[in-house]
Amino acid sequence: MAEAAAAPGAAPRAGAGSVRRLLANRRVVLGGAVLLAFSLAAVFAPLLAPHDPVEQDLLLQYAPPFWSDKAEDGFPFGTDNLGRDILSRLIHGARIALFVAVAAAAAAGLIGTALGLLAGYFGGWADTLISRLVEIWMAFPAVLLSIVLVAVMGTGLHSVVIAIAVIDWTRFCRVVRAETMAQKQQDYVASAVTIGLGRLRILWREILPNVLPLLIVLFTLEMGIAVIVEAILSYVNLSLASDFPTWGGMISDGRKYVNQAPWLMILPILCVIALVLALNALGDGLKDALDPVMRR
Amino acid sequence: MSWSFLLRRLLLAIPTLFGVAVIVFVLLRVVPGDPIAMLIGPGATEAGIAELRRLYGLDESIALQFVYYLQDLAGGDFGTSISMRQDVMELVLGRLPVTIELCLVAMSMAVLLGVAMALAGSYWRGRTGEAAVDGAAGFILAIPDFLWALLFILFVVVFALDGLPISGRIGHDVAFRGATGFLLVESLLRLRFDAFGSVLLHTVLPAAALALPLAAILARILKASIAEAMTQDYILMARAKGFSRARIVCREALRNALVPTVTLTGVQFTFLVGGTVLVEKIFSYPGIGNMAIDAVINRDLPLIQGLVLTFAVLFIAVNLLVDMSYALLNPRMRHG
Amino acid sequence: MTAAPPPDRPTLSVRDLRLAIAGRRTPTPILRGVSLDIAPGEVHGLVGESGAGKTTIGKVILGIQPSQARITGGSVLFDGRDITHLPERERRGLMGRGMGLIPQDPMTSLNPAYRIGAQIADVLRLHLGLDRSAAGSRALELLGDVHIRAPERVLRQYPHELSGGMRQRVLIAVAFACRPKLIVADEPTTALDVTVQRQVLALIKRMQAQEGASILFVTHDLGVVAKICDRVTVLHGGRVLETGDTRRIVEAPGHDYTRALIAATPRHDRPGDLLWPVPEALMARLDAEALAYDAARAPGGREYG
């Protein structure tokens, strides 16, 4: 009954044509390819990494990367201050970076979308309350706040994820609220109301699918932000114990020994930049490619 | 610009500060996790914990704690730092000038670079010059300030640019202590150009890292505002007067594009202040940002509290500065 | 170089001027072989409906046409010299100095960021090389010339503090500042209140007589033309339909279109009259003529590159 009833104002959804449009967008393809490469490295890290990322070899400290004459066989990107293989640490670092990115973006997206839908659809005091909350939240220095939050909750990946979610839900909330308010004015919502669908049902079945393209874009961009925040937190030693191969931690080690071994820093920085650029390109490309779907 | 305008802005800052104080209180006390455990670390005795609880008033009810907290804040009492065993207010005030000078240098660099990029992009509208400016701005923005800071350090090390220091605020060989902490200003006033040069060199890289993202945003928005201004009738009039394109862009259009740019970028200036936290850490620059990270790592609750509030005050001050420049730039506001 | 210029040489002579706006595929012709002459000291009306290309002619003469506009043929002789292909620097030397502009909308034509004094002085300093104080006192003099009360105060004011009529007076002062030989007045009274309109017209006429400048007076209003112009050119679709003495054109128009324009002009002395729109048949005929012109001049549209 509800299925048939929703038909008259059937919500516009992404069809097969949009896939072709996505593949025609250079930024989507390029960003997606880089993201895919990092994801494969993350998933198959134990298979791909030539060495154990935490195995120390004090006889092999500061081995330079392959472009130097003094490079060691089997350590193409050299070793760090404790003789650990940099390539293996980078590959395992991708795991942590992408895990945090996905988990934090999902958590932030969940909180933000829920509150944004509520504020945008119900309006009134719910909207006032949530909007005011967003305003206060945004007035805080994000980096400081995340550091304080992790300090309070204790270090560890879950703290990093929670900290990012607690700070960045506002990004989702603001956009979803505005989009929901716009969608609410559309005919298909009005027709759903007339045939007596419940409010939550309308939110879930009618509005959410239409906000979805926007959410995908926001999610991608938030992943980029989460990669940076994770790098920052592990840089200041608040993410995982320094033994774990995080990119931020590697950069932090590299900063300490930058005069002896500058290559310690180069590769993890390049990894962060490459992944962030890829996620930004993908997000911006998706925004362009999905735009007609979002009828703007 | 009138005094009543300034006064009104200052009054508006009070509720904001109060809100920040409340959030800090809630964050540090209500969030799961025992602040005392955080203070003392593992291996504390029961008695020791109880003693500390009493000392910090944590055995009182939350409401009462909040009242005491506000009372102390109103009296300027931020408590005593646990890790440094010193008055928090004193500690913060000792480091604040460092961060203020760093921010001011960074903001000046950002404005100079941003305006230069916007002018170049506008002058070469529709040509390679514009594409170059757009590309540069996009690239700069894709990389956050803390990665720029690290890239600068790498650059200095790899290319052996020994003249550019990458840590500290003044050379070890320069004997200049200064009475105020505003080393740049003070060394200049005392004609100690060696000290001034040393501090400036130490400040260049951290300031540049902070400045780059702001410069790129400024360049983008200012360029768009100039493009908008260039469609106006007074530009046609200026062309008819026989002025060159350079002069029209730099004088006629720029001046009118500044006002919308300031409105749109005001908040970005506060982001620059937030960026000092990491950038100071990376360059071992002895400001309050660096101190904040140490405070967190040392679990120094009173110091964290004091620093977060100090940052809030800095944010408000920057907003005030932005508002004032807005009023100065807009002849309509100057005359009411 | 000939020795002394003949006394009857026109200040401005537009010869068969053709111009097109570059489009994505084909350029759109705007001016289709316009010719007109303005003698020294003459006020020449350029009349037509919006879209006739009259403002474009003014802009080409001043050298401020939009960048997409391409001059595809003909010439503009200023003081006997073709100025359509002058090097940029030389061209700018003429703008503001040899010719001035009185713009259509005084509300938006002054830069809101600068004081009135600075906006008069800048053109004096640029072209006459006056120093700050000399430019200031000349600006003050100019404000007096255009009958602005308390000129000392107005010099220090910003545009938003002045009324539309005041601003147009300031702009007239700017236009005449360097004693140019030619002024392009682009519908200078259209944006003003009726009462102010009359004062501004009188002011332009007086300044013109005092300075001996020629004026190209662009307008859609034949009533205004009758008041101020010595001669008139009627323009439609980028083509000149007729040229002649104002009196002759108004009293015995030679072209149907001019007759239709006169019928469509409200008359202050006979406010009750019916106004007649331009007949559709006439419009269709004019459009067809314009298309025929394009086809004849530029087979395949290739002339407009």
Side-chain angles (χ1 to χ4, degrees), chain C residues 77-183:
Chain C
L77 303 175
F78 179 71
D79 239 2
R81 187 159 68 133
D82 186 0
I83 55 172
T84 47
H85 295 100
L86 276 187
E88 144 120 22
R89 186 170 284 272
E90 243 176 289
R91 188 74 176 87
R92 280 211 314 268
L94 278 181
M95 297 154 84
R97 165 123 215 205
M99 45 182 78
L101 165 69
I102 303 175
Q104 176 167 7
D105 189 352
M107 302 309 280
T108 54
S109 293
L110 285 165
N111 193 322
Y114 297 107
R115 296 174 202 273
I116 299 299
Q119 300 193 51
I120 304 175
D122 60 6
V123 68
L124 293 167
R125 297 177 68 181
L126 176 72
H127 292 296
L128 305 184
L130 299 185
D131 63 26
R132 189 182 286 266
S133 69
S137 47
R138 172 82 178 118
L140 191 67
E141 211 178 288
L142 279 162
L143 283 188
D145 282 354
V146 294
H147 290 300
I148 279 182
R149 253 168 283 149
E152 292 90 352
R153 190 166 54 94
V154 173
L155 274 185
R156 287 192 309 275
Q157 282 181 312
Y158 285 93
H160 72 266
E161 298 171 83
L162 305 184
S163 69
M166 291 271 273
R167 290 189 212 187
Q168 194 60 300
R169 285 169 190 275
V170 169
L171 285 159
I172 290 168
V174 170
F176 282 98
C178 299
R179 304 184 186 277
K181 287 192 173 157
L182 173 73
I183 297 236

Side-chain angles (χ1 to χ4, degrees), chain B residues 286-330:
Chain B
I288 57 170
N290 200 340
M291 190 181 226
I293 289 193
D294 289 341
V296 167
I297 291 172
N298 294 327
R299 305 169 157 200
D300 193 338
L301 191 64
L303 191 53
I304 296 175
Q305 209 165 268
L307 283 168
V308 173
L309 285 169
T310 308
F311 268 103
V313 173
L314 268 185
F315 275 41
I316 290 165
V318 169
N319 275 324
L320 204 66
L321 265 177
V322 169
D323 282 347
M324 277 164 56
S325 69
Y326 180 77
L328 273 179
L329 286 171
N330 192 346

